[in-house]
Amino acid sequence: MTIWLPPLRERSGDIPMLADYFLSRYAAEMGMPNPGLTKETLSILDHYPWPGNVRELANTIQKALIFNRGMPINPEVISQAISGHAPSPAAGLGGADDSIRQWVRDKILSGPEEDLFEKCVDRFARILVSEALTITGGNRSQSAKLLGLSRPTLHSKIENTGSSSKPRSKKNKAL
């Protein structure tokens, strides 16, 4: 007996249920919690034509779990999974935003803390300065330029946040 089903592109109402099924299945197989899908991601899945039908949807969900960092699967990750390429560092910024949001949420929910806002701002400033210094090999002029700061302002941020860089060459020590 043959059962005919229309292609997935003609059954868009099935996509959220199938995506959730595959997400739960593959997350369990990988031994990770089900991260869920954002509404924007579901919209992308709904509007994609699915030439490979249900098998392509299953493979896309599996790839998205591999690319994902434990947060709800966002549009950048699902787009990368559909295209079959690992996310580039620039594409991962959406995931970074999710990680930052989770860290902030955890800090807020851990209970009242005096000067929490300032402590968080200082921590991000320290990370920004430290990363710029690392990227430039400790060159403060280049770091200031990358951060859109004057050199004296960068120096002040280094003093205030305790940021450091990799050891600099003798040439750059005077900077």
Side-chain angles (χ1 to χ4, degrees), residues 11-12 29 31 43 63 82 98 119 134 140 143 162 167:
R11 304 182 282 135
S12 64
E29 285 178 11
S43 178
K63 286 178 194 174
I82 288 171
D98 290 341
K119 288 177 182 177
T134 299
R140 292 182 180 195
S143 295

Side-chain angles (χ1 to χ4, degrees), residues 126-174:
R126 185 172 44 253
I127 292 168
L128 275 169
V129 169
S130 177
E131 287 303 307
L133 288 166
T134 299
I135 289 166
T136 63
N139 185 308
R140 292 182 180 195
S141 295
Q142 288 178 354
S143 295
K145 189 173 184 177
L146 285 175
L147 295 172
L149 301 172
S150 69
R151 208 166 158 275
T153 301
L154 175 66
H155 184 71
S156 173
K157 299 261 183 224
I158 291 169
E159 298 277 323
N160 293 338
T161 63
S163 299
S164 62
S165 65
K166 292 180 180 177
R168 291 168 280 169
S169 67
K170 288 180 183 178
K171 180 181 174 185
N172 289 334
K173 275 195 177 185

